[in-house]
């Protein structure tokens, strides 16, 4: 069979949009389509999605991408071998098995309505904020699915009764989509993968199963949870009623884990994905490392039911590209996201302005849900170009904060590798097309930043996982990064070390000013 006759589909379900991409055997996109969907903000700090709209967005993207590939002469109907799925993590859905309808909107990963639940648990549990870290690698935080599920159980009318009747089920977006894709009310499969499960706060990182002690402590019934599977295996076939039917879903990973696979990250290699938020992961191999510097221990990937699990240290940043969207949608400073590079390039510095985008608190390494967004250092000299550049710098400072923590954790677990090799930063995601952003990142890190030729590595990672499960790819092909790196663009730092240190000190001062602001009077 020739390369042109083999195709893998990839569903990339993100925080603001859904894409479906069809790749050929050489990982070239032959058809794709993207649909944006609505974000709802019922109250300050609350963020929701309509689960039915997300399902429909997948349906539309599938049909449109298939049409585009076919129009270009590709025989996808006969050559499509499998579909991979990657998704926004932690976003939580509960739905009725009998009706197939969600019992409430999806609560999005960045939502902070569970702050009071977090504070209550921190006071009541002997381990405080780190009570569950030993089992799941995660602190008690609004970020993770378990707390969102507790809120739903406590606040949604009829949900507890539906749970008792065995009709209500829980899942993250991967689970919700797979259930619908494989039949929904007609025997849809209720599963999740190890990477998404590792973000719920309910999975034991060592056993890769739901942790009974945690479930008992939180009062979460095990019967509403999905079955946990690996990232690369045939899960089930797409049911009738979809634009593509009978094709196996054979890969499933949370978006950041998919990007690690798409970036060919082996042990000791780190990547940063710039999207709505920013997410930096360092592959620690088969060893799970407990962070002492504000990072999370998580699963990187497990590429097959019998494959070894790779773990990772992760630093999650809540607001990255979302700050650019805020400039566009809320302030009107720019009319499209790609305008920010030109606007920020009109000045050579921020003029002493520092912007901390703590719209919903701060994640790693600070973990302050009482933080709120601030802009400091404003003078009469300040203009919108300074603000735009400060927004770009805020993304890069946050990534540096995380990488500094990774350096500290790695120093405690040194395996003889050089610091430069261990922390080579590979970058991906839509925002990386911004050359100014990438140069600022290199300058603030003081080390090179490498951008691959294909920046959409999340969708590619899901395709790789699916292709691996059905024999289209081998692991050697997926992780042979030599050719990919040759085609990459490298940004080298040019900022003087003394100025870099001063800017970092000023950033840390600005971050400290964002604390304890959650209760400002409306």
């Amino acid at each position: 069979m020739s390369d042109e006759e083999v195709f893998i589909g990839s569903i990339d379900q993100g925080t603001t949009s859904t894409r479906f991409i069809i790749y050929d055997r050489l990982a070239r996109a032959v058809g794709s389509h993207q649909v944006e969907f609505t974000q709802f903000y019922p109250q300050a700090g609350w963020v929701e999605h309509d689960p039915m709209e997300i399902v429909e967005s997948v349906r539309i993207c599938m049909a449109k991408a298939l049409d585009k590939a076919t129009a270009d002469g590709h025989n996808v109907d006969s050559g499509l071998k499998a579909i991979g799925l990657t998704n926004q993590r932690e976003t939580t859905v509960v739905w009725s098995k009998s009706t197939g309808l969600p019992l409430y909107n999806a609560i999005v990963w960045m939502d902070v309505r569970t702050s009071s639940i977090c504070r209550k648990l921190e006071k009541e549990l002997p381990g405080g904020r780190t009570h569950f870290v030993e089992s799941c690698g995660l602190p008690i935080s609004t970020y993770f699915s378990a707390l969102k599920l507790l809120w739903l159980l406590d606040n949604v009318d009829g949900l507890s009764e539906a749970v008792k009747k065995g009709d209500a089920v829980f899942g993250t977006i991967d689970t919700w989509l797979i259930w619908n894709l494989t039949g929904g009310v007609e025997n849809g499969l209720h599963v999740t993968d190890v990477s998404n499960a590792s973000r719920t706060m309910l999975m034991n990182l060592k056993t890769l199963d739901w942790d009974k002690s945690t479930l008992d402590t939180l009062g979460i019934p095990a019967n509403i949870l999905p079955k946990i599977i690996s990232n690369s295996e045939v899960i089930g076939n797409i049911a009738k009623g979809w634009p593509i039917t009978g094709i196996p879903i054979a890969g499933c990973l949370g978006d950041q884990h998919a990007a690690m696979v798409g970036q060919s990250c082996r042990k000791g290699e780190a990547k940063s994905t710039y999207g709505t938020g920013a997410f930096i992961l360092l592959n620690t191999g088969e060893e799970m490392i407990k962070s002492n510097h504000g990072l999370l221990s998580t699963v990187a990937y497990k590429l097959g039911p019998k494959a070894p699990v790779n773990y990772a240290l992760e630093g999650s940043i809540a607001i990255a590209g979302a700050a650019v969207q805020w400039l566009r949608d809320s302030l009107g400073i720019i009319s499209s996201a790609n305008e920010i590079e030109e606007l920020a390039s009109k000045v050579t510095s921020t003029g002493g302005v520092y912007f901390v985008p703590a719209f919903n608190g701060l994640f790693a390494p600070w973990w302050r849900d009482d933080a709120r967004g601030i802009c400091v250092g404003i003078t009469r000299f300040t203009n919108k170009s300074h603000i735009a550049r400060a927004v770009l710098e805020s993304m890069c400072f946050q990534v540096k904060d995380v990488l500094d923590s990774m350096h500290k954790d790695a120093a405690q677990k040194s395996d003889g590798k050089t610091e430069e090799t261990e922390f080579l930063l590979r970058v991906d995601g839509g925002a990386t097309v911004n050359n100014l952003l990438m140069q600022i990142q290199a300058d603030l890190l003081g080390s090179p930043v490498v951008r691959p030729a294909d920046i959409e590595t999340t969708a590619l990672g899901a395709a790789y996982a699916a292709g691996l499960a059905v024999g289209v790819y081998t692991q050697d092909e997926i992780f042979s990064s030599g050719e990919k790196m040759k085609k990459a663009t490298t940004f080298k730092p040019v900022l003087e070390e003394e100025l870099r240190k001063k800017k970092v000190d000023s950033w840390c001062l600005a971050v400290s000013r964002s604390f304890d602001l959650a209760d400002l009077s409306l």
Side-chain angles (χ1 to χ4, degrees):
M1 183 177 288
S2 69
D3 290 333
E4 286 71 26
E5 294 175 310
V6 178
F7 303 99
I8 301 291
S10 180
I11 301 168
D12 182 2
Q13 197 288 308
T15 307
T16 58
S17 64
T18 298
R19 294 183 304 161
F20 185 72
I21 301 178
I22 302 169
Y23 293 98
D24 67 10
R25 170 69 178 75
L26 300 179
R28 298 173 301 200
V30 300
S32 67
H33 191 74
Q34 180 168 320
V35 172
E36 291 195 4
F37 50 82
T38 310
Q39 295 207 74
F40 301 97
Y41 305 96
Q43 296 183 32
W46 292 30
V47 190
E48 297 177 359
H49 291 157
D50 177 354
M52 299 305 293
E53 185 182 4
I54 290 176
V55 170
E56 186 60 23
S57 72
V58 172
R59 189 184 306 278
I60 293 169
C61 287
M62 273 187 172
K64 295 287 187 181
L66 188 63
D67 287 347
K68 290 176 182 177
T70 302
D72 286 342
H74 301 288
N75 190 6
V76 177
D77 282 336
S78 63
L80 190 61
K81 299 303 176 185
I83 288 175
L85 169 66
T86 180
N87 60 287
Q88 52 168 309
R89 306 173 302 171
E90 297 95 18
T91 298
T92 301
V93 190
V94 291
W95 68 94
S96 164
K97 287 193 294 185
S98 60
T99 68
L101 298 175
L103 299 171
Y104 190 83
N105 271 347
I107 300 181
V108 180
W109 58 271
M110 67 180 76
D111 186 287
V112 295
R113 74 186 65 188
T114 58
S115 294
S116 60
I117 298 176
C118 293
R119 299 293 84 75
K120 181 173 181 287
L121 289 173
E122 288 171 9
K123 290 179 181 178
E124 292 178 351
L125 298 175
R129 184 171 156 274
T130 61
H131 183 82
F132 300 109
V133 165
E134 194 62 34
S135 63
C136 70
L138 309 175
I140 294 172
S141 167
T142 59
Y143 188 10
F144 307 114
S145 310
L147 286 306
K148 304 179 197 303
L149 178 56
L150 288 180
W151 187 92
L152 290 165
L153 290 169
D154 289 342
N155 292 278
V156 176
D157 291 339
L159 178 53
S160 294
E161 188 63 28
V163 170
K164 291 177 183 176
K165 291 179 179 178
D167 186 47
V169 286
F170 152 85
T172 41
I173 295 296
D174 59 309
T175 304
W176 167 245
L177 288 179
I178 291 172
W179 187 82
N180 279 282
L181 286 164
T182 57
V185 294
E186 300 294 332
N187 300 312
L189 298 172
H190 188 216
V191 300
T192 189
D193 73 273
V194 289
S195 64
N196 277 295
S198 75
R199 314 297 297 183
T200 61
M201 219 173 78
L202 301 175
M203 188 189 84
N204 187 297
L205 285 179
K206 295 175 182 175
T207 66
L208 304 184
D209 203 353
W210 302 120
D211 189 78
K212 187 177 184 304
S213 174
T214 302
L215 297 180
D216 291 344
T217 300
L218 296 177
I220 292 175
N223 66 313
I224 69 171
L225 304 179
K227 176 186 176 183
I228 300 174
I229 59 174
S230 78
N231 298 120
S232 178
E233 62 181 271
V234 175
I235 301 167
N237 292 344
I238 294 185
K240 293 179 181 178
W242 288 89
I244 297 168
T245 61
I247 304 299
I249 301 172
C252 182
L253 308 94
D255 50 10
Q256 305 314 317
H257 313 264
M260 289 198 86
V261 176
Q263 285 270 39
S264 305
C265 285
R266 296 178 182 270
K267 180 180 179 181
E269 295 175 334
K271 71 91 201 173
S272 178
T273 299
Y274 301 74
T276 303
F279 304 88
I280 306 91
L281 278 81
L282 169 71
N283 188 331
T284 62
E286 296 179 40
E287 179 183 14
M288 181 175 60
I289 294 179
K290 182 179 178 181
S291 175
N292 294 313
H293 299 92
L295 304 180
L296 309 176
S297 300
T298 193
V299 169
Y301 47 75
K302 178 179 169 62
L303 296 176
K306 296 182 179 179
V309 61
N310 270 229
Y311 292 98
L313 281 173
E314 174 172 347
S316 304
I317 295 164
I319 302 295
V324 179
Q325 295 167 353
W326 174 72
L327 288 183
R328 180 193 66 192
D329 301 336
S330 298
L331 298 189
I333 288 179
I334 53 177
S335 58
S336 65
N338 58 12
E339 289 179 14
I340 192 171
E341 182 173 7
E342 181 182 355
L343 180 60
S345 296
K346 291 181 178 179
V347 292
T348 57
S349 75
T350 65
V353 173
Y354 288 81
F355 175 70
V356 183
F359 296 164
N360 298 77
L362 290 171
F363 287 175
W366 309 97
W367 296 108
R368 295 290 297 249
D369 60 20
D370 63 334
R372 288 297 178 267
I374 62 167
C375 193
V376 298
I378 298 172
T379 66
R380 184 64 184 83
F381 172 69
T382 302
N383 62 40
K384 61 183 180 181
S385 291
H386 295 115
I387 301 295
R389 195 175 183 103
V391 166
L392 294 183
E393 284 197 355
S394 75
M395 297 164 66
C396 300
F397 276 123
Q398 291 180 96
V399 170
K400 176 175 171 53
D401 289 341
V402 169
L403 280 171
D404 285 347
S405 293
M406 284 184 176
H407 278 286
K408 294 171 185 175
D409 283 328
Q412 295 176 355
K413 286 279 185 178
S414 176
D415 58 3
K417 290 186 178 181
T418 66
E419 186 174 278
E420 182 180 355
T421 300
E422 191 161 26
F423 285 92
L424 170 65
L425 186 63
R426 305 163 186 236
V427 297
D428 58 76
T432 60
V433 299
N434 187 323
N435 289 327
L436 177 59
L437 176 69
M438 294 296 94
Q439 186 58 53
I440 292 172
Q441 187 67 84
D443 284 341
L444 293 181
L445 290 178
S447 58
V449 167
V450 180
R451 180 179 67 197
D454 182 0
I455 62 171
E456 302 298 350
T457 57
T458 302
L460 182 60
Y464 278 154
L468 179 65
V470 297
V472 172
Y473 300 116
T474 65
Q475 285 213 34
D476 285 343
E477 288 176 304
I478 293 172
F479 289 99
S480 60
S481 59
E483 284 302 312
K484 298 175 188 176
M485 295 299 279
K486 288 179 185 178
K487 299 175 183 177
T489 302
T490 300
F491 296 84
K492 297 181 179 180
V494 295
L495 192 66
E496 293 181 1
E497 182 65 24
E498 184 177 354
L499 180 55
R500 179 185 303 116
K501 289 180 178 178
K502 287 181 178 178
K503 288 176 71 69
V504 170
D505 288 344
S506 297
W507 163 255
C508 291
L509 180 62
V511 169
S512 70
R513 296 292 194 266
S514 74
F515 299 162
D516 297 315
L517 298 181
D519 296 325
L520 289 177
S521 180
L522 297 177

